[in-house]
Amino acid sequence: VLKEAEPPPRGWIHSIRTTLNMSLAQLAKRLGKTPPSVKEIEVREQDRTITLKKLIEVGEALDLQFVYGFLPARGTIEKMIEERALQLARDVVMRTSHTMALEDQKNSEERLRKAVIERAASIQREMPRYLWD
């Protein structure tokens, strides 16, 4: 659900402020700033040039907790690792298979599939740094 939350077109600060029916002057007073400074903060958030420090400051002025984090673009971190391990395992197994085929020792599709799955599981268990090369 959180992953699907798109920032409002004019930014979270503006959206929350207007939802609370709070004027620029009222938020400015809470922040110890001028209304034009608060408008600039809202514009900087909308332009994605605002700092984390400023977002935390605004959150405190609005009596809100600022939350910061990363979410995987697709699925979960575990799924991300699994996909990368499968890709790497496929590359390694196919490279080996190609060499064996050149030596007239070609493997069956089923054997290659099992080799990829086993290699991927091994890579996931080991979590080597080269996983992300």
Side-chain angles (χ1 to χ4, degrees):
V1 176
L2 182 60
K3 196 165 139 177
E4 297 165 4
E6 288 287 325
R10 295 182 68 184
W12 291 108
I13 298 169
H14 179 269
S15 180
I16 292 166
R17 180 179 61 75
T18 56
T19 298
L20 295 172
N21 199 23
M22 185 182 292
S23 69
L24 279 170
Q26 290 170 318
L27 181 53
K29 183 177 177 184
R30 288 171 169 243
L31 286 165
K33 301 197 180 297
T34 64
S37 294
V38 173
K39 184 66 182 162
E40 181 185 338
I41 289 170
E42 289 182 354
V43 169
R44 284 186 13 232
E45 181 204 0
Q46 189 177 357
D47 294 342
R48 298 181 174 192
T49 59
I50 194 165
T51 65
L52 291 175
K53 182 178 179 180
K54 189 57 68 182
L55 288 170
I56 292 166
E57 183 183 329
V58 172
E60 289 171 354
L62 291 169
D63 198 27
L64 298 171
Q65 179 184 1
F66 176 71
V67 179
Y68 174 80
F70 293 99
L71 298 172
R74 298 176 315 276
T76 64
I77 292 285
E78 291 80 10
K79 182 75 172 161
M80 197 169 102
I81 292 167
E82 178 185 338
E83 287 174 0
R84 181 65 185 134
L86 273 169
Q87 180 184 17
L88 187 59
R90 210 173 285 115
D91 292 347
V92 170
V93 169
M94 296 316 285
R95 202 168 33 247
T96 304
S97 175
H98 178 72
T99 302
M100 290 178 74
L102 292 175
E103 296 171 357
D104 207 21
Q105 300 173 14
K106 190 172 182 180
N107 283 309
S108 70
E109 288 298 317
E110 180 61 19
R111 189 167 179 190
L112 289 174
R113 189 184 68 72
K114 285 181 181 177
V116 167
I117 291 169
E118 288 171 11
R119 182 64 180 221
S122 173
I123 291 169
Q124 282 180 266
R125 277 192 307 277
E126 294 169 15
M127 285 292 292
R129 287 195 188 272
Y130 65 81
L131 180 61
W132 306 109
D133 287 342

